[in-house]
Amino acid sequence: MDHPPAGTTTSRTDGARPATPGAPGTSDSTAAPTPAARPTTDRDPSPAGALDTSPLATAQHQLARAVQILGYDEGLHAMLATPRREMRVAVPLRTDDGRTEVFTGYRVQHNISRGPGKGGLRYAASVDLDEVRALAMWMTWKCAVVDVPYGGAKGGVTIDPHSHSRAELERVTRRYTSEIMPIIGPERDIMAPDIGTDEQTMAWVMDTYSVNRGYTIPAVTTGKPLTVGGSLGRATATSQGVVHTARAALARDGVDLAEVRAAVQGFGKVGSHAARLLHEAGARVVAVSDAHGGVQRADGLDVPALVEHVASPGSVVGFADAGPIDNHDLLTLDVDLLVPAAVEGVLDGSTAAQVKARWVVEGANGPTTTEGDRVLAERGVVVVPDILANAGGVVVSYFEWVQANQAYWWTAQEIADRLEHQMTASHDAVAGLARAEGITLRDAALTIGVRRVAEAHQIRGLYP
């Protein structure tokens, strides 16, 4: 395998636990998180024995479960658990009023055996290295499950984007891009929008990268505006994938989307479009929520009117002809279909025990903890896992990357048809394995994804 470029930290494969991250602007002394705990325990090895519900612990446990099913040895498990590259950078900002602030940025390339890294860029005050590690790992399996030739990557800056002007966010984006430039590129690692970033952010990344290379390179990012090489259908692709997999999961039980009551937690880039598409498919969307609160209506919300309402105050709160509901109560509402499309870890063991939905389709990354997953499985709730359900975004990102490399653009119908085919085929493969082996959809999806990545490792061999 290739040597990592200058400025990165190489990963260990001996299973050692990483040291505490260093000061902002420095690389960690070790890049490898500990491989997942053996699948016989969900417990954090702390003296108190507290259940670790962090995203990284959940991702590691999921991998351990897949390794157990596949019968892989500890060496291969360690390679699959260990990020290939990590970079931690300082991101100084000159604010609009002349002050200087310094933020911390990360880019993690979990695995690049099946192709270049692929993953979003997140701006949030909660971003830390372990969260980015977990998201990068999930991207690895996600790309493999839907069989696009990418590895998993993720990036983030620890910053609250709502506390900064657009001009300040542009400067943060351009500095972050310049700092991580040695490890990104259309053949190395391709970024996309995530929480706190959007198509304008991707345009800034693309421009910064292109200016430094001396020519325009649209394929370094996906999720860009159409005018600079974006793709039709990309903005709603993740939500379309959620609805395609929801429809397929319901159809396995002989149920149509038009027959169900649904609740959607999160009304951002994924949840708002998912709610609209479910409404258009005939489902009764009876509750939605965002970071500020939620609204509900027993006979169904007027979702198009709600979308218009949100455009002004920026929240679903206060929508006419609907009653209030908080985020926790939405998750336990008496509905058929629940779409958690906000953040990680909202369905823990306690909340999962109160879920009344028959189907949970994960629009967010990692919304269900290990304990929550166990509880839902014991109660017979069908969970369509994130690495399958929300993979529509990376599928159409792949389409955008292909179009940019070829400088040839597809029609919206071509993209919609190809997305539906790929999502439905991926769901059918996962559901078929789950049925044949008597395992959950999550275990089946992880088994398929992990196996494809492991096969790439084994076929390529270990260098030297």
Side-chain angles (χ1 to χ4, degrees):
M1 294 193 178
D2 58 307
H3 296 288
T8 67
T9 304
T10 54
S11 297
R12 297 176 60 177
T13 57
D14 60 1
R17 187 177 293 274
T20 301
T26 65
S27 295
D28 290 345
S29 58
T30 60
T34 181
R38 297 278 72 80
T40 54
T41 177
D42 296 345
R43 299 289 170 178
D44 181 24
S46 62
L51 190 66
D52 189 346
T53 60
S54 69
L56 183 57
T58 299
Q60 288 175 335
H61 183 274
Q62 290 171 355
L63 171 61
R65 173 66 178 157
V67 166
Q68 180 188 47
I69 292 171
L70 291 162
Y72 292 155
D73 62 31
E74 291 186 3
L76 183 52
H77 185 185
M79 288 191 66
L80 293 169
T82 304
R84 176 65 183 278
R85 294 192 185 100
E86 295 179 346
M87 182 176 269
R88 174 189 176 105
V89 297
V91 185
L93 166 69
R94 183 182 298 108
T95 63
D96 294 340
D97 60 6
R99 294 176 297 106
T100 298
E101 297 183 30
V102 181
F103 302 94
T104 303
Y106 308 96
R107 191 70 186 175
V108 174
Q109 295 168 355
H110 174 257
N111 191 282
I112 52 174
S113 292
R114 300 182 73 250
K118 184 75 184 77
L121 171 61
R122 176 172 294 194
Y123 288 175
S126 61
V127 166
D128 62 23
L129 183 56
D130 277 355
E131 179 186 51
V132 178
R133 285 168 169 163
L135 294 166
M137 184 184 295
W138 282 322
M139 277 300 300
T140 297
W141 318 138
K142 184 183 301 184
C143 292
V145 166
V146 293
D147 203 17
V148 296
Y150 288 143
K154 203 74 177 185
V157 178
T158 309
I159 184 173
D160 179 4
H162 303 293
S163 299
H164 295 273
S165 69
R166 197 164 185 80
E168 289 176 342
L169 292 176
E170 178 177 357
R171 292 195 287 274
V172 165
T173 300
R174 291 185 182 277
R175 182 57 181 256
Y176 169 79
T177 303
S178 67
E179 292 289 345
I180 68 165
M181 196 170 297
I183 65 170
I184 64 171
E187 304 88 11
R188 293 184 176 188
D189 185 352
I190 305 108
M191 271 190 274
D194 195 79
I195 292 173
T197 60
D198 56 19
E199 63 175 18
Q200 178 60 73
T201 315
M202 294 303 103
W204 291 330
V205 172
M206 187 272 283
D207 181 69
T208 305
Y209 185 85
S210 298
V211 167
N212 278 273
R213 291 291 183 261
Y215 59 99
T216 300
I217 308 173
V220 70
T221 64
T222 60
K224 303 178 297 297
L226 294 175
T227 51
V228 290
S231 175
L232 294 168
R234 175 59 184 84
T236 61
T238 303
S239 308
Q240 289 278 7
V242 167
V243 175
H244 287 320
T245 52
R247 180 181 285 110
L250 269 61
R252 290 173 58 221
D253 293 321
V255 179
D256 188 86
L257 272 177
E259 302 173 38
V260 303
R261 290 160 45 87
V264 180
Q265 187 199 44
F267 208 71
K269 288 191 285 282
V270 176
S272 62
H273 292 299
R276 176 180 58 80
L277 293 166
L278 288 169
H279 175 80
E280 291 174 357
R284 277 191 293 166
V285 180
V286 300
V288 300
S289 66
D290 58 29
H292 306 285
V295 292
Q296 64 174 326
R297 183 173 178 174
D299 59 351
L301 295 164
D302 184 344
V303 177
L306 179 59
V307 171
E308 291 184 13
H309 166 81
V310 170
S312 176
S315 172
V316 301
V317 175
F319 180 58
D321 300 322
I325 188 171
D326 65 29
N327 274 286
H328 178 270
D329 289 344
L330 180 143
L331 293 170
T332 62
L333 204 58
D334 187 8
V335 294
D336 305 296
L337 171 64
L338 174 63
V339 180
V343 294
E344 304 97 344
V346 295
L347 291 174
D348 57 15
S350 174
T351 304
Q354 303 172 62
V355 167
K356 299 178 181 64
R358 183 177 171 188
W359 297 274
V360 174
V361 181
E362 297 182 332
N365 291 313
T368 309
T369 68
T370 298
E371 182 66 12
D373 222 25
R374 182 189 65 78
V375 171
L376 291 173
E378 288 179 351
R379 298 181 61 229
V381 177
V382 176
V383 178
V384 183
D386 48 2
I387 61 171
L388 171 63
N390 68 31
V394 76
V395 170
V396 178
S397 280
Y398 169 60
F399 296 165
E400 181 178 334
W401 180 72
V402 169
Q403 293 170 83
N405 283 324
Q406 296 178 336
Y408 182 81
W409 308 103
W410 305 345
T411 67
Q413 192 59 53
E414 286 176 319
I415 292 165
D417 291 344
R418 294 181 190 206
L419 172 62
E420 182 174 7
H421 169 77
Q422 198 142 351
M423 292 303 299
T424 303
S426 298
H427 170 273
D428 291 349
V430 169
L433 180 63
R435 183 169 52 251
E437 299 295 329
I439 56 180
T440 65
L441 292 176
R442 189 183 309 281
D443 282 345
L446 284 161
T447 299
I448 290 172
V450 171
R451 183 178 64 231
R452 286 174 175 168
V453 174
E455 287 173 350
H457 271 298
Q458 292 166 330
I459 290 169
R460 291 181 60 162
L462 184 62
Y463 176 82

